Amino acid sequence: MNYKHTLAGDQLKLTFSGDLIGENNGPELVELVNNTLSKGAKYCLIDIEDIRYINSSGIGVLITILTKFRNKGGELFLIKPSEHVKKLLIITKLQAIFNIVDTEEQALEKIK
């Protein structure tokens, strides 16, 4: 999996592409999240439109990031999941836990 990140004010934006397999990038992503939380990040917007596949470790990474932000009084938004990822979130009942939006603008509206 490849990812890009930007930190603007209290918002960390992550853009993922490829396959979200936690063993590969998980520890690196958690370290990045810890660093941005220490810099005052409160919201995490993760664009997962280009994720083709996600395994249980990848889901674990998303849940870890979600937990870290919520423990600091913040929130995480999953932006534009593919149909495959949407189905996985529904099957695992995680759509009830994550804030899932179609656009970054929708996420920003919920932050206000």
Side-chain angles (χ1 to χ4, degrees):
M1 178 191 78
N2 295 313
Y3 71 91
K4 295 184 284 186
H5 73 280
T6 56
L7 179 61
D10 62 355
Q11 299 169 17
L12 170 64
K13 181 171 183 205
L14 295 165
T15 304
F16 293 168
S17 62
D19 298 335
L20 180 51
I21 299 172
E23 302 88 21
N24 296 346
N25 299 94
E28 186 179 317
L29 284 168
V30 171
E31 184 177 337
L32 171 67
V33 165
N34 287 334
N35 288 340
T36 56
L37 284 168
S38 69
K39 293 178 183 173
K42 191 169 180 181
Y43 302 101
C44 184
L45 291 75
I46 303 179
D47 184 335
I48 58 173
E49 179 178 11
D50 293 329
I51 290 291
R52 294 181 306 238
Y53 171 80
I54 184 169
N55 71 358
S56 60
S57 294
I59 289 173
V61 169
L62 291 177
I63 290 171
T64 299
I65 295 171
L66 172 72
T67 302
K68 288 183 174 294
F69 273 90
R70 285 195 178 159
N71 285 345
K72 295 285 188 177
E75 191 54 73
L76 178 143
F77 298 90
L78 295 179
I79 301 170
K80 205 170 187 179
S82 67
E83 285 304 312
H84 171 76
V85 173
K86 272 186 194 174
K87 287 177 187 174
L88 180 65
L89 293 170
I90 290 168
I91 290 168
T92 58
K93 304 217 183 299
L94 291 173
Q95 88 282 4
I97 295 170
F98 286 102
N99 273 303
I100 301 169
V101 295
D102 291 326
T103 65
E104 183 177 342
E105 290 75 25
Q106 287 177 338
L108 295 174
E109 280 297 315
K110 291 185 177 199
I111 289 172
K112 292 179 183 177

